[in-house]
Amino acid sequence: MNGQGDRVIEFIETFCTLGGSFLGQPFKLMPFQKDIIQQVYATDEDGRRIIRTACIGTPRKNGKTTLIAALCVYGLIADTADTAPEVVVAAGDRNQARLVHDSIKRMIRASPELSSVCEVLRNEIRCSRNGGVARVVSADSGLALGSNPSLAVIDEYLVHPDDSLYQALTLGSAARNQPLTIVISTAGYRQDSPLGELYRYGRKVESGEIDDPSFYFRWFGPKDNEEIDASDPQVWERCNPA
């Protein structure tokens, strides 16, 4: 597949490390994570990214926060799609925002190469190599207004009270050369929620009902009204890829 995916994967596996019980170990991406990266960072014949919005659903404990952090580190330091990159993560609440921010900081501080080009501050991270900046905000803070993100990550969209933060970030990225918005969340139960609306749109793109090559949709779990055998190991693997 043509694209920037190989470059993203190589960067993550070369410079990023894991946390928690695997603290300091190299981040070796799992097959499903590599596949997501290859799809999201696919390019057209002119070398421009095709995907503008990605909606990804994963169950808990499938490495979502670590993957988000690694993509943000790449977007801050190594993404050449735009100058002076601005990376914004919009977490569902302040606690989740702190988790993501701490994970990004840990990856950078654990790498001599990354820390040599980054200044880690309390509320943001600056890259001297390209003038980039990364920050994490929460859905209850309203601090994304005025942002011009080259990469916007909407984390745990199921707990966002409305779509105002999503709209502010996507609108703010319009002036970017190759803006990318990644919505990644565990599943919600309200079809009338902002996540539910995006999920329904993604299902229509997936089925071909809507033709939108700029939208990527990947949801790990049973499809609508699908009957599954919860005791089947193949179902476990399909719904919990990690």
Side-chain angles (χ1 to χ4, degrees), residues 4-219:
Q4 303 164 358
D6 288 344
R7 174 181 167 85
V8 179
I9 291 168
E10 182 180 7
F11 177 89
I12 291 174
E13 294 194 331
T14 300
F15 297 109
C16 296
T17 55
L18 298 173
S21 300
F22 305 97
L23 182 64
Q25 294 186 19
F27 189 170
K28 296 301 180 184
L29 292 157
M30 289 176 276
F32 85 97
Q33 294 172 323
K34 289 183 178 181
D35 183 59
I36 288 173
I37 290 172
Q38 293 285 11
Q39 297 288 336
V40 170
Y41 287 87
T43 56
D44 61 20
E45 58 185 14
D46 296 321
R48 295 176 60 84
R49 283 200 290 258
I50 298 169
I51 301 301
R52 290 290 178 263
T53 303
C55 180
I56 303 163
T58 65
R60 287 179 170 83
K61 302 303 177 183
N62 275 262
K64 176 175 63 66
T65 299
T66 307
L67 180 60
I68 287 173
L71 291 176
C72 288
V73 173
Y74 172 82
L76 170 65
I77 299 172
D79 192 355
T80 58
D82 213 332
T83 58
E86 181 178 352
V87 177
V88 180
V89 182
D93 54 41
R94 285 178 170 83
N95 288 333
Q96 183 63 20
R98 191 177 303 110
L99 286 174
V100 177
H101 190 58
D102 288 348
S103 188
I104 295 172
K105 290 193 300 183
R106 180 194 55 74
M107 285 184 182
I108 290 175
R109 285 172 169 165
S111 166
E113 294 87 354
L114 301 183
S115 59
S116 69
V117 297
C118 289
E119 181 184 10
V120 178
L121 305 174
R122 179 179 180 183
N123 296 316
E124 64 183 26
I125 301 164
R126 295 188 174 275
C127 178
S128 59
R129 180 173 179 268
N130 55 17
V133 62
R135 62 175 63 90
V136 181
V137 300
S138 61
D140 51 359
S141 70
L143 296 178
L145 296 178
S147 295
N148 180 26
S150 51
L151 171 64
V153 178
I154 316 297
D155 184 30
E156 290 295 15
Y157 201 27
L158 81 162
V159 300
H160 286 229
D162 52 49
D163 68 347
S164 58
L165 199 50
Y166 172 85
Q167 294 294 344
L169 290 173
T170 53
L171 181 62
S173 69
R176 286 288 180 173
N177 185 36
Q178 298 180 57
L180 176 61
T181 299
I182 300 176
V183 177
I184 186 164
S185 182
T186 48
Y189 59 89
R190 286 181 49 221
Q191 287 286 325
D192 62 341
S193 67
L195 176 62
E197 293 178 7
L198 203 63
Y199 169 87
R200 292 197 305 274
Y201 185 85
R203 284 297 188 198
K204 291 178 180 179
V205 171
E206 181 182 58
S207 69
E209 181 179 346
I210 293 177
D211 180 20
D212 185 354
S214 70
F215 192 95
Y216 171 75
F217 180 77
R218 185 77 178 273
W219 204 267

